[in-house]
């Protein structure tokens, strides 16, 4: 029970307050970059008290991960065309496009920052949840008999996303238009010679 | 032409000086971490002048990349058994072991740091060179007919290494013993059902 002297900002409670703060965070990340996105600046832009932000998110890193995660989830499709190759290509193309955006690059770099100590504990569940969309597609492909029954859905999702992450974080190589499709084809068909190499669904 | 008042350290010129500085850098990274590895500390440990370090490497980031890169190159094998699956598994297992070491994690995090602005230009050629070892193995596999003639060797190398990088940088998932082999199998065989799925060389 705290004495409240400025009730106006505090009225934006619950989900509305959360959405306003997350949107302000993404906006600031895009315009000011990681270092410019302080809790004070976010609170000012969202019209809430800085203490309200800390009460809900505890740390700046948690806030940034929540904001970028929600933003990414909205940017990524959940294709379900009945064709595993098409679904994976759609999803990974959207991931590539997202990672090529300022918000996507900020999200990845934040996750990979060695200084984001307090973010450490949040990483595994965070990326677990993000990889699940790809795993679901793979599992449906296994159920339809498009993929081998012993397919490791998590490993496939990691193998599809890994090269995209590595390009953004390490090599700086571009995420060109056809890349997602080429990675999907390699992961589904393999590099060994085979008959019927073309997509058959 | 500078006047030199302490000739002793400067006598360690050329390659000997370089090796001493690189070894001191890796030692410090392992014991003190990234932030503790300053140019001053490296120079002191290697018995050279700080100015000599800056003259050769220009920036701290260049020094760190050179040190960790040389260290990684020594840690990684260049298998050539005549079997592409075995060669790739050996290489990627060594990469996984290396990335699980303090030096390997430091190398990756340094490469991915959003603050390492001056390192930016060095990234692409640096990782290009590191991926080449995998590409060479793939190309030999294509020449021997083990892999399809249209195999994109660079893409295969990226797809093998990407999931390992992502685990260290993003998810924090462990690099368990069999992981490298499972990724190699997926990338060579694909996830689609196929006859003769087992390794045939």
């Amino acid at each position: 029970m705290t004495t409240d002297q400025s009730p106006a900002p505090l009225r934006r409670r619950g989900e509305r307050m959360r959405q306003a703060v997350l949107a302000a965070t993404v906006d600031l990340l895009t315009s000011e970059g990681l270092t410019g996105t302080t809790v004070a600046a976010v609170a000012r832009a969202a019209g809430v008290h800085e203490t309200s932000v800390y009460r809900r998110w505890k740390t700046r890193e948690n806030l940034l991960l929540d904001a970028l995660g929600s933003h990414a989830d909205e940017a990524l499709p959940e294709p379900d065309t009945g064709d595993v190759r098409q679904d994976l290509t759609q999803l990974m193309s959207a991931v590539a496009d997202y990672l090529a955006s300022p918000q996507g690059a900020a999200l990845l770099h934040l996750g990979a920052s060695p200084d984001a100590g307090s973010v450490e504990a949040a990483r595994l569940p965070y990326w677990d949840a993000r990889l699940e969309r790809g795993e679901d597609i793979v599992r449906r492909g296994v159920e339809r008999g498009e993929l081998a029954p012993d397919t490791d859905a998590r490993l496939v999702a990691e193998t599809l996303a890994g090269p995209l992450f590595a390009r953004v974080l390490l090599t700086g190589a571009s995420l060109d238009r056809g890349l997602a499709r080429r990675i999907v084809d390699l992961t589904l068909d393999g590099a060994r010679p085979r008959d019927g190499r073309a997509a058959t669904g």
Side-chain angles (χ1 to χ4, degrees), chain A:
Chain A
M1 291 292 183
T2 55
T3 311
D4 199 331
Q5 303 188 0
S6 50
L10 281 179
R11 249 184 243 132
R12 310 180 68 167
R13 283 199 171 277
E15 193 50 27
R16 262 181 66 211
M17 179 270 213
R18 179 170 174 270
Q19 291 303 333
V21 170
L22 295 183
T25 305
V26 170
D27 285 350
L28 275 167
L29 276 169
T30 311
S31 62
E32 308 297 327
L34 266 181
T35 49
T37 309
T38 62
V39 171
V42 168
R44 206 177 310 123
V48 303
H49 284 300
E50 215 176 315
T51 48
S52 309
V53 177
Y54 279 114
R55 197 177 307 128
R56 180 181 270 265
W57 284 278
K58 304 291 184 289
T59 66
R60 172 176 172 269
E61 284 73 24
N62 286 341
L63 168 65
L64 297 177
L65 268 185
D66 192 10
L68 290 166
S70 306
H71 191 261
D73 285 345
E74 282 166 32
L76 298 183
E78 301 187 73
D80 189 4
T81 64
D83 181 296
V84 71
R85 192 181 305 264
Q86 201 170 321
D87 284 356
L88 288 176
T89 302
Q90 279 182 25
L91 176 63
M92 299 318 295
S93 296
V95 169
D97 287 347
Y98 187 70
L99 294 180
S101 74
Q103 295 92 339
L107 172 59
L108 263 201
H109 278 117
L110 175 69
S113 168
D115 305 319
S118 52
V119 122
E120 200 71 49
R123 264 188 218 180
L124 190 49
Y126 177 84
W127 288 104
D128 256 7
R130 295 310 169 292
L131 287 168
E132 262 167 28
R133 211 166 286 196
E135 286 180 69
D136 289 344
I137 295 174
V138 172
R139 274 192 216 98
R140 290 198 301 266
V142 172
E143 283 162 18
R144 287 190 300 258
E146 293 176 287
L147 304 181
D150 64 347
T151 300
D152 181 339
R154 159 59 51 114
L155 192 70
V156 172
E158 288 186 79
T159 301
L160 291 169
L164 302 179
F165 293 160
R167 284 201 176 193
V168 175
L169 287 171
L170 296 174
T171 70
S174 72
L175 301 172
D176 54 278
R177 251 357 229 139
L179 178 65
R181 174 66 193 236
R182 294 201 306 279
I183 295 174
V184 170
D185 285 346
L186 174 61
T187 306
L188 296 190
D189 302 331
R192 286 203 290 137
R194 70 191 297 166
D195 296 332
R197 190 179 177 81
T200 56

